[in-house]
Amino acid sequence: MHAIEKLLAEKAGKSSVHAGEIVNCDVDIAGINDLYYQTVKSFYEMGGEKVYDPEKVILFFDHYAPCATEKQADNHKKFRAFTNEQGITHLMDINEGVCHQLMADYGFSCPGRIIVITDSHTTTHGAFGAFGTGVGATDLATILITGKLWFKVPEVIRINLTGTLQPGVYAKDIILHIIGKLKADYGVYKAVEFAGPVLKQLSVSERMAMCNMSTEMGAKTSYIQPDEITMAYLAEHNITDYKIYETDPDYEYEADLTFDVTDIPPQLAAPFSVDNVDDLSAFAGLHVDQCYLGSCTGGRTEDFAVAANILKGHHIPHGTRMILVPGSRFVLKECLEKGYIQTLMEAGATLTAPGCAACLGIHQGLLAEEEVCVSSTNRNFPGRMGHVKGRIYLGSPASVAAAALNGKITDPRPYVKGGNAE
């Protein structure tokens, strides 16, 4: 069996499972973000009275943080009342940040857990060897009542990464390149495992970015086998309560693909699809109105470090703006301590509250008609960050910073100092 199958089998109380089988599993963490008050409505409509375990339920105020409309504020008010009624202590209020980053910051994300959140990018937690997946309101309400949810055991695709990354090329470039080659529907309801020697070159932050975007090829979940890099992260965060599963040596993958990263240059996903990917050089010189650094894909401390190193001592040119959205208050605090935020603000960037912000087109950095944005976020559909004719190019934090430096799409490689380990 694959490690994912062993995890699902144990949570379902079975000795073994196989791809395509329907299993009913205990869920370790059930997360609700503030887009999904329907979860609470469904909970009561389905006869719910008390959540199965208040300690395993987390509410995240990240998409509406802070609220931009009265309706959003009312949503938060009703969520707060629900947590008080149910004795839920894990309420991540508007000061906290994005759910996936907080899961890592607080140590909720670790090997061997089933993590279900009302957010499609819950695949992020595969970076820790967890089974992370996103669901809708009704499924999450089911978990609140029973502590369980059914899953179809997914087939597993292995993506082997070989070679050596060029300085100035990052995990975001790798995953964009892969999505561009495989396309958005390649991994529908499959698990995507990332493997190969390149993982030793990728920090936990970079692994999170890669697993985060596996959902953009349709993946149900993602997976990276925990290794010494994972162990070091867990030890640093004093996380000890976890279980690591190992894949059997004779396991047969549904597909086994290899990508040599050595010659991959910086990538961009052009409007209006995440799989519309080309080398950044194909768009070089295009004027950029907005550079957006943040989100559950590209809003971690390492991302701000890369951007600060590129923009230090420079100023963003007239006609281009840069918005900074740390992934969490922990990221913000660390970036302030290290001076990254100050460096970027001195360069002319604007700091906003930790959260999802303009990534989903609600507030804090929306685009006008025909404006161009280079963003470290994960989606570029029409209207994703404002006007339906706003044009979003997805790239690495380095590509965002290089665009801010010059006011146009620019290859970041000449500006990266000291390689990728900033």
Side-chain angles (χ1 to χ4, degrees):
M1 288 194 295
H2 190 275
I4 290 174
E5 294 175 336
K6 292 180 180 180
L7 190 165
L8 292 175
E10 182 161 322
K11 302 295 182 181
K14 298 169 70 73
S15 59
S16 65
V17 299
H18 57 81
E21 182 179 353
I22 302 296
V23 292
N24 200 34
C25 296
D26 293 329
V27 173
D28 295 291
I29 299 291
I32 315 167
N33 68 38
D34 49 356
L35 289 180
Y36 281 87
Y37 186 70
Q38 180 59 48
T39 303
V40 176
K41 292 181 179 179
S42 296
F43 172 78
Y44 290 119
E45 289 167 359
M46 295 162 62
E49 295 179 358
K50 284 293 182 181
V51 299
Y52 75 108
D53 185 344
E55 288 299 312
K56 294 182 178 180
V57 179
I58 309 176
L59 271 74
F60 301 98
F61 291 177
D62 52 4
H63 290 71
Y64 301 153
C67 295
T69 68
E70 291 179 19
K71 184 176 180 180
Q72 293 171 11
D74 185 60
N75 229 39
H76 281 188
K77 180 181 178 181
K78 289 186 287 190
F79 263 130
R80 291 187 183 101
F82 179 72
T83 62
N84 291 334
E85 174 195 309
Q86 296 290 328
I88 298 169
T89 58
H90 299 312
L91 170 61
M92 306 298 172
D93 217 306
I94 63 168
N95 63 316
E96 290 281 0
V98 185
C99 60
H100 306 304
Q101 185 59 39
L102 292 170
M103 288 288 295
D105 291 343
Y106 279 103
F108 292 116
S109 186
C110 61
R113 286 187 171 178
I114 292 182
I115 297 168
V116 184
I117 304 175
T118 54
D119 189 282
S120 59
H121 292 100
T122 309
T123 54
T124 302
H125 307 289
F128 298 91
F131 181 92
T133 195
V135 299
T138 304
D139 282 338
L140 208 291
T142 300
I143 301 172
L144 294 184
I145 295 170
T146 68
K148 298 177 179 290
L149 190 64
W150 69 269
F151 302 98
K152 183 173 76 170
V153 180
E155 297 174 318
V156 186
I157 298 164
R158 182 165 62 181
I159 297 179
N160 297 288
L161 302 173
T162 63
T164 303
L165 281 173
Q166 300 176 40
V169 179
Y170 298 86
K172 182 70 171 289
D173 298 301
I174 296 173
I175 191 63
L176 285 175
H177 177 78
I178 292 170
I179 293 169
K181 296 298 182 185
L182 300 182
K183 300 304 177 186
D185 60 352
Y186 180 80
V188 172
Y189 214 104
K190 299 185 191 307
V192 174
E193 177 184 0
F194 297 101
V198 172
L199 289 179
K200 304 302 181 186
Q201 303 170 42
L202 300 180
S203 64
V204 168
S205 175
E206 289 282 84
R207 295 175 181 198
M208 289 175 71
M210 203 158 57
C211 288
N212 175 283
M213 291 201 62
S214 67
T215 195
E216 306 306 336
M217 66 174 84
K220 179 67 176 175
T221 193
S222 66
Y223 187 77
I224 292 175
Q225 184 64 38
D227 60 7
E228 63 273 15
I229 293 173
T230 320
M231 295 301 102
Y233 181 95
L234 296 172
E236 182 182 345
H237 289 76
N238 298 313
I239 301 167
T240 57
D241 182 18
Y242 57 84
K243 181 172 182 178
I244 295 174
Y245 297 85
E246 302 278 351
T247 300
D248 293 335
D250 61 349
Y251 177 79
E252 293 188 11
Y253 289 87
E254 196 272 334
D256 208 350
L257 311 175
T258 297
F259 287 86
D260 186 336
V261 306
T262 305
D263 295 324
I264 295 178
Q267 304 284 288
L268 287 181
F272 289 98
S273 176
V274 183
D275 62 4
N276 184 23
V277 178
D278 206 339
D279 295 349
L280 179 145
S281 59
F283 313 101
L286 177 67
H287 170 75
V288 175
D289 298 287
Q290 177 166 296
C291 301
Y292 188 94
L293 183 62
S295 87
C296 58
T297 315
R300 283 174 277 279
T301 301
E302 289 181 21
D303 304 319
F304 283 84
V306 169
N309 282 331
I310 290 173
L311 282 161
K312 188 172 185 177
H314 301 281
H315 201 279
I316 298 163
H318 178 74
T320 299
R321 58 190 183 271
M322 185 179 193
I323 297 177
L324 313 175
V325 191
S328 72
R329 67 181 180 89
F330 296 93
V331 171
L332 174 58
K333 182 175 182 290
E334 187 173 12
C335 287
L336 286 169
E337 290 171 350
K338 293 179 179 292
Y340 303 148
I341 297 293
Q342 295 90 322
T343 295
L344 291 166
M345 291 183 71
E346 286 169 7
T350 299
L351 176 66
T352 72
C356 298
C359 177
L360 72 159
I362 288 180
H363 58 169
Q364 295 181 313
L366 304 189
L367 301 178
E369 183 176 4
E370 299 298 343
E371 284 195 315
V372 171
C373 177
V374 176
S375 177
S376 67
T377 56
N378 44 45
R379 286 180 177 157
N380 61 349
F381 311 140
R384 175 70 180 182
M385 292 181 73
H387 200 283
V388 293
K389 292 186 178 178
R391 291 178 286 156
I392 307 163
Y393 291 81
L394 304 175
S396 74
S399 296
V400 173
L405 177 66
N406 294 298
K408 58 187 178 182
I409 291 176
T410 305
D411 190 328
R413 286 175 291 184
Y415 303 100
V416 173
K417 301 168 186 174
N420 289 350
E422 301 296 346

